[in-house]
Amino acid sequence: MNASETVKERTPIIRVDDVSKWFGSVVAVSEVSFDVYPGITGLLGPNGAGKTTLLRMITGLAEVSQGEISVLGGHPRSDPDLYRRIGVMVEHEGSYDFMSGRRFVELTARLHEVDDAAAAATRSIARVNLSDAADRPIRTYSRGMRQRIRLAATFVHEPELLILDEPLNGADPRQRVEFQELLLALADEGRTILISSHVLEEVELLASRVLLVVNGKLAAEGDFHAIRQALDDRPYQVRISCDRPRALAAGLIGLDSVDSVQLDDGTLIVLSSNVGALQAALPRSAAELDVRLTGVEPLDDSLESVFSYLVES
Amino acid sequence: MIAIYLLSLRQLQGRWRIAALLAVTAVPLVPAIFAVASSDRPTALDLDDGLINGVLASAVLPILTLVAATPVFGNELEDKTLGNLTMTPLKRWRIVAPKLAAAISVAVPLIALSAVVSVLVAFQGAEIDGAGRAAAAAAIGLAIGALLYGTMFAWLGLFTSRALGIGLLYVFIWEGLFGTFVDGLKYLSVRQYSLSIIRQLDPTRFDGSSQTVIGIEAAAVGAGIVLVAFALLTVRRLRSMDVP
């Protein structure tokens, strides 16, 4: 049984089925379908791609124009009781600036009818490392601190599902690392986390699964490498190091699997639309040409490159 | 629900809002003092027509309530904090009820204070007997009006970001013109409900002879419908709207 079959057999925590959202004549999200399973799932896309609109529909802040969304077997918009099991941190949500951080988190706990709201708030604030500043008014917080106190409020009621829209915005590099460690710890506790971001390396480090949204449509979903494979119309760039690059270049250029070959500082940059065939042909060609291969390295296997490609196309 | 009530009260504490509320509350004192100071002492009928109907019920009551009630949801829509309340397991009425209570608990004491002080000043200054009862009647009738307007304007604040402007148009066009001059529409006027209650509570001084006022039965039914309908509309709106 492979990994994708395992995923299909699990019950999705979130199911988005053919969902669209439009505002007048502007289509913000168009016929998007995906499932979210336990673990961390990254929702990626450039600004204006429709990520926030999607999350707003999932969290019940916005109505879908078409399609259906199921969250934990229901939908919080029609069944607010589900919010006991869901923690939401939206991107542009305001906080009560006149309150202290502690009061804000405590208020959120009370609104979720947590038994001991004060103790839950103290625990939650400690987890985001904001205990020292907890009694200061939120208006005195830096942007990163605001994000942290909002995150503390998001999981103060111990939800099993966390939906976080750009939670790392405004955080400095050290805070980002702390955030990432905290989110990984929350996921390790068995929570499902759906996190949106346009900062790809953050999600690449966090998410076991990614959903790529471009222009309101789901461009790709799945494991990053699986997404990469799905983009079979996109040429791969591979850097090949060898002892006789010119000879290998002349041999490779005639292969069907090779679109172009470029000599770059003693190495070859090969563009291929069929990397499987290239993998098979490369050792054979090298042997025939008596070329010794010293390195084969994909150049664009990072999330950033896939994302850029999707946006550009 | 107490947490939402206290939060809503805190959110109504803007400096300009408090100044506006206090200024509007004090407005009826001006005609009351002028009436007393004039050479021709006003009769109860004059005060009923000018002070109670013309100033308190027509202008101070709706404007004061408009300023107090439209922000209970409007502010949260504007600063994007409403999601903090809606993304909770609370039934929507448990969000609406404390917010209405906050608006009303600001508007009711102020309109009652405005009515009591101005009516006492005017009636005692004019040496009309029963100033205390007149003041109490005016305070109760207008307080019930504030309850009704508060429910309407809280809904309006949730419905549109231009609630203040639309509310003022409603006050002057519907209540001021149609509700006064079109007989049938008096039954759909909160101001008429308040005046009817005031006259029921103190028929000696407010005999209704200055203009036609609807009966207390019709006022009670109308007030009940307005209260329930707008409370339900607010709950429904909160369920169905896209929260920014």
Side-chain angles (χ1 to χ4, degrees):
Chain A
M1 185 186 293
N2 63 33
S4 65
E5 282 169 344
T6 308
V7 163
K8 281 175 186 168
E9 284 173 11
R10 284 185 288 166
T11 307
I13 303 297
I14 298 171
R15 168 154 283 174
V16 174
D17 185 12
D18 197 27
V19 163
S20 299
K21 176 75 177 178
W22 49 80
F23 302 97
S25 60
V26 177
V27 179
V29 172
S30 177
E31 296 173 348
V32 169
S33 297
F34 60 79
D35 292 338
V36 174
Y37 297 92
I40 302 181
T41 299
L43 181 62
L44 291 168
N47 289 327
K51 303 186 301 293
T52 295
T53 304
L54 256 174
L55 292 185
R56 285 172 46 75
M57 289 190 286
I58 291 169
T59 56
L61 286 174
E63 182 73 275
V64 299
S65 301
Q66 176 189 290
E68 277 185 26
I69 294 176
S70 163
V71 182
L72 296 166
H75 197 276
R77 202 167 166 86
S78 54
D79 180 11
D81 212 45
L82 280 173
Y83 284 119
R84 289 181 206 283
R85 302 163 63 192
I86 306 170
V88 182
M89 180 173 165
V90 299
E91 185 184 5
H92 297 299
E93 183 181 70
S95 47
Y96 306 112
D97 282 2
F98 55 86
M99 279 185 192
S100 70
R102 185 184 305 283
R103 277 206 57 208
F104 173 57
V105 179
E106 212 176 299
L107 171 69
T108 308
R110 286 189 206 291
L111 294 175
H112 283 85
E113 300 178 323
V114 173
D115 283 342
D116 189 346
T122 300
R123 277 196 304 274
S124 199
I125 290 167
R127 288 197 77 172
V128 298
N129 286 333
L130 214 56
S131 299
D132 290 345
D135 295 310
R136 274 170 43 195
I138 292 175
R139 65 171 170 270
T140 66
Y141 285 8
S142 67
R143 196 165 173 211
M145 290 166 80
R146 282 169 186 257
Q147 292 291 78
R148 281 152 69 193
I149 205 68
R150 288 176 58 211
L151 183 62
T154 300
F155 64 77
V156 69
H157 56 295
E158 301 284 344
E160 62 198 85
L161 168 63
L162 286 168
I163 299 172
L164 313 172
D165 191 5
E166 303 273 4
L168 298 169
N169 270 0
D172 61 33
R174 186 179 57 82
Q175 288 169 345
R176 280 171 189 268
V177 172
E178 287 176 4
F179 250 86
Q180 286 165 346
E181 287 172 353
L182 176 58
L183 293 179
L184 288 168
L186 289 167
D188 282 346
E189 291 165 7
R191 299 179 215 277
T192 301
I193 300 177
L194 176 60
I195 176 173
S196 83
S197 180
H198 63 276
V199 183
L200 307 181
E201 64 269 22
E202 290 168 359
V203 175
E204 192 171 9
L205 290 171
L206 281 171
S208 50
R209 222 171 138 259
V210 292
L211 305 160
L212 283 163
V213 180
V214 181
N215 294 329
K217 295 189 173 184
L218 188 68
E221 68 169 305
D223 177 80
F224 166 66
H225 293 283
I227 288 175
R228 186 66 183 78
Q229 289 296 329
L231 298 170
D232 53 7
D233 59 339
R234 181 192 179 211
Y236 280 70
Q237 278 194 0
V238 180
R239 183 190 297 276
I240 300 172
S241 305
C242 61
D243 58 350
R244 294 196 300 130
R246 286 182 188 280
L248 184 61
L252 291 179
I253 197 70
L255 297 176
D256 288 343
S257 56
V258 172
D259 296 346
S260 69
V261 180
Q262 186 186 335
L263 200 60
D264 178 36
D265 198 22
T267 63
L268 297 179
I269 307 295
V270 176
L271 209 61
S272 169
S273 298
N274 188 345
V275 77
L278 176 64
Q279 280 172 345
L282 180 60
R284 204 165 47 236
S285 295
E288 286 168 3
L289 296 165
D290 195 24
V291 171
R292 193 167 69 87
L293 294 172
T294 54
V296 179
E297 171 197 6
L299 287 180
D300 52 0
D301 225 19
S302 73
L303 200 51
E304 182 79 56
S305 65
V306 175
F307 183 57
S308 300
Y309 168 73
L310 287 165
V311 174
E312 283 160 14
S313 59
Chain B
M1 291 210 294
I2 190 75
I4 297 177
Y5 173 74
L6 294 174
L7 176 69
S8 304
L9 277 186
R10 176 63 184 77
Q11 289 173 310
L12 288 175
Q13 286 176 16
R15 193 177 302 166
W16 288 107
R17 185 171 299 110
I18 289 174
L21 287 169
L22 292 177
V24 176
T25 302
V27 162
L29 267 178
V30 177
I33 291 168
F34 268 107
V36 171
S38 69
S39 52
D40 296 330
R41 280 205 176 144
T43 62
L45 185 63
D46 294 335
L47 293 176
D48 181 11
D49 196 29
L51 180 63
I52 302 290
N53 184 16
V55 178
L56 279 163
S58 296
V60 175
L61 168 65
I63 292 173
L64 206 150
T65 317
L66 190 65
V67 175
T70 51
V72 290
F73 285 109
N75 275 4
E76 297 213 67
L77 290 174
E78 199 172 307
D79 63 19
K80 298 186 174 177
T81 53
L82 188 58
N84 291 327
L85 303 183
T86 60
M87 288 189 293
T88 63
L90 301 175
K91 302 280 185 207
R92 304 299 94 160
W93 70 265
R94 293 182 64 196
I95 299 171
V96 170
K99 290 218 157 263
L100 291 180
I104 289 160
S105 59
V106 169
V108 164
L110 290 178
I111 190 64
L113 176 72
S114 186
V116 166
V117 173
S118 59
V119 169
L120 282 178
V121 167
F123 278 68
Q124 284 182 344
E127 295 178 353
I128 300 168
D129 289 340
R133 179 162 181 179
I140 293 169
L142 293 169
I144 291 170
L147 177 73
L148 303 179
Y149 275 134
T151 313
M152 285 173 68
F153 293 145
W155 167 78
L156 192 62
L158 193 57
F159 189 75
T160 172
S161 58
R162 299 183 182 90
L164 211 56
I166 293 173
L168 284 172
L169 281 177
Y170 162 80
V171 168
F172 291 116
I173 294 175
W174 183 268
E175 293 281 2
L177 293 176
F178 295 136
T180 302
F181 300 113
V182 183
D183 266 353
L185 292 184
K186 288 183 176 180
Y187 292 93
L188 301 173
S189 161
V190 170
R191 183 169 63 94
Q192 289 290 327
Y193 304 157
S194 281
L195 292 174
S196 177
I197 293 165
I198 293 170
R199 277 152 203 189
Q200 179 71 20
L201 293 174
D202 188 4
T204 310
R205 275 149 294 272
F206 305 122
D207 64 2
S209 58
S210 64
Q211 61 169 298
T212 313
V213 172
I214 62 173
I216 189 65
E217 296 84 0
V221 171
I225 290 172
V226 167
L227 186 68
V228 172
F230 280 95
L232 290 177
L233 280 173
T234 310
V235 171
R236 185 177 165 172
R237 173 75 183 158
L238 198 59
R239 275 197 197 120
S240 62
M241 71 184 293
D242 282 5
V243 178

